[in-house]
Amino acid sequence: MPEVHDSPNPWVAEHIRRFQETGGRPRPGMNDLLLTTRGRRTGEPRRTALVYGLDGDRYVLVASNRGADRHPAWYLNLLADPCVTVQVGTEVFTARARPVIAAERPPLWRLMVSARPEYAAYQERTAREIPVVLLERR
């Protein structure tokens, strides 16, 4: 099993560490998960921490990159290889990731903005439409 590389962002790397130390509850009251994608250039496992919402049994993510004009690396990685590993709490499972289609987006975007209002502000900062992603267990 290749070594998993955590996000190079110091804040995210610290969040991953806290996630692991707390059994997946680094911020009580907040839905956090760890997402491991395969690097699109290196092929190596890359891990990040993200907020999630639930739509039935599907996990919903927002590729906000804090309102930057470029997509986050994890999103580009899952476009190249949608097979991902997810950790929620202490449970680890594989999933298939996909960006939502236009017709699915409005209610899922509202769901995520209700959980994290800053997503709306991030969308105002950038000309790109911030992608919403669904993770479906395999």
Side-chain angles (χ1 to χ4, degrees):
M1 174 70 76
E3 178 185 356
V4 176
H5 300 278
D6 288 343
S7 172
N9 178 314
W11 182 89
V12 177
E14 173 64 17
H15 190 84
I16 293 168
R17 185 188 64 72
R18 283 193 323 271
F19 187 101
Q20 293 172 317
E21 288 176 351
T22 63
R25 302 303 300 165
R27 300 183 293 175
M30 183 66 61
N31 291 333
D32 292 305
L33 61 72
L34 296 183
L35 177 71
T36 303
T37 59
R38 182 151 312 281
R40 64 196 177 284
R41 290 190 289 253
T42 66
E44 296 178 350
R46 305 286 181 185
R47 182 168 51 192
T48 193
L50 298 165
V51 171
Y52 72 88
L54 287 172
D55 180 55
D57 60 353
R58 304 180 304 176
Y59 292 83
V60 183
L61 307 176
V62 174
S64 71
N65 206 14
R66 301 181 114 182
D69 287 330
R70 66 188 184 292
H71 295 308
W74 65 264
Y75 177 75
L76 299 173
N77 289 343
L78 69 78
L79 290 178
D81 183 352
C83 297
V84 298
T85 301
V86 181
Q87 182 175 347
V88 176
T90 57
E91 181 186 13
V92 178
F93 57 93
T94 59
R96 182 162 186 84
R98 70 172 177 85
V100 300
I101 61 172
E104 295 173 299
R105 190 176 190 281
L108 297 173
W109 177 255
R110 284 191 302 272
L111 170 75
M112 295 307 291
V113 169
S114 71
R116 298 292 297 189
E118 61 264 43
Y119 288 146
Y122 294 163
Q123 183 60 79
E124 290 177 12
R125 283 188 210 158
T126 183
R128 73 180 172 94
E129 181 175 75
I130 293 176
V132 176
V133 173
L134 286 175
L135 302 178
E136 298 172 304
R137 286 178 185 260
R138 298 196 74 167

